């Protein structure tokens, strides 16, 4: 492997590890700023490409943010559904069993057999709602 190739691999690992420990949705920009002090040679474009590579490999999910910005969350290849708090950016995995009735209804109403779905819910998490009510 060339020195350049090796550096790219190391940078991808750095990004993957940062995403895995984030436990919340982060944009490429946010992750870039978080990593910059310790990895001054890391560029925003590299962070972005590394995040997209994670999505491609099924190791991360891509989420929406206002203004057509993507946020990312570490995930497993089998899992595709999330509850995303738009206030604190916390991401919870949605229990797959909750979707079974929906998939059944899709089959009944449309005769469509879904073998793949991704469903992300955006809103306020329990903690942020409690905080909201306390105000
Ligand atoms: Zn997930
Ligand atoms: Zn929240």
């Amino acid at each position: 492997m060339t020195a350049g190739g090796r550096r790219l691999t190391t940078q991808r690992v750095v990004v993957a590890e940062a995403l895995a420990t984030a436990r919340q949705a982060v944009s490429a920009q946010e992750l870039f700023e978080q990593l910059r002090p310790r990895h001054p040679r890391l560029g925003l474009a590299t962070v972005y490409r590394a995040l997209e590579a994670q999505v491609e490999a099924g190791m991360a999910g891509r989420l929406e943010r206002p203004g057509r910005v993507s946020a990312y969350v570490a995930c497993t290849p089998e899992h595709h559904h999330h509850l995303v708090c738009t206030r604190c950016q916390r991401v919870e995995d949605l229990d797959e069993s909750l979707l079974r009735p929906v998939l059944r209804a899709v089959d009944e109403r449309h005769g469509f057999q879904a073998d793949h779905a991704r469903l992300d819910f955006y809103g306020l998490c329990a903690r942020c709602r409690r905080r909201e009510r306390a105000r």
Side-chain angles (χ1 to χ4, degrees), residues 5-133:
R6 204 154 38 229
R7 191 170 71 225
L8 186 64
T9 308
T10 311
Q11 290 179 338
R12 291 218 166 155
V13 170
V14 164
V15 171
E17 282 175 356
L19 186 67
T21 52
R23 288 298 302 153
Q24 62 172 44
V26 287
S27 67
Q29 180 73 38
E30 286 161 1
L31 211 56
F32 168 65
E33 278 162 21
Q34 182 191 319
L35 290 170
R36 194 156 49 172
R38 280 178 53 219
H39 304 277
R41 291 175 69 178
L42 197 64
L44 176 59
T46 305
V47 172
Y48 179 75
R49 277 197 298 269
L51 288 168
E52 284 296 320
Q54 286 275 293
V55 172
E56 210 89 322
M59 300 308 289
R62 191 194 292 109
L63 305 167
E64 293 162 18
R65 284 264 183 94
R68 293 171 141 216
V69 175
S70 292
Y72 301 84
V73 65
C75 203
T76 58
E78 311 78 53
H79 185 262
H80 301 286
H81 315 294
H82 302 101
L83 305 175
V84 186
C85 182
T86 51
R87 187 161 301 169
C88 71
Q89 301 301 320
R90 207 154 67 100
V91 178
E92 274 178 78
D93 285 347
L94 182 66
D95 185 354
E96 294 288 326
S97 66
L98 286 177
L99 290 174
R100 259 177 239 135
V102 176
L103 295 179
R104 214 175 304 131
V106 166
D107 184 1
E108 279 162 20
R109 295 263 201 102
H110 299 269
F112 187 90
Q113 189 197 328
D115 54 22
H116 178 98
R118 71 166 309 121
L119 201 53
D120 297 323
F121 294 79
Y122 296 86
L124 287 184
C125 73
R127 212 161 42 181
C128 288
R129 285 181 74 193
R130 266 199 304 277
R131 212 164 285 164
E132 181 102 318
R133 280 197 298 267

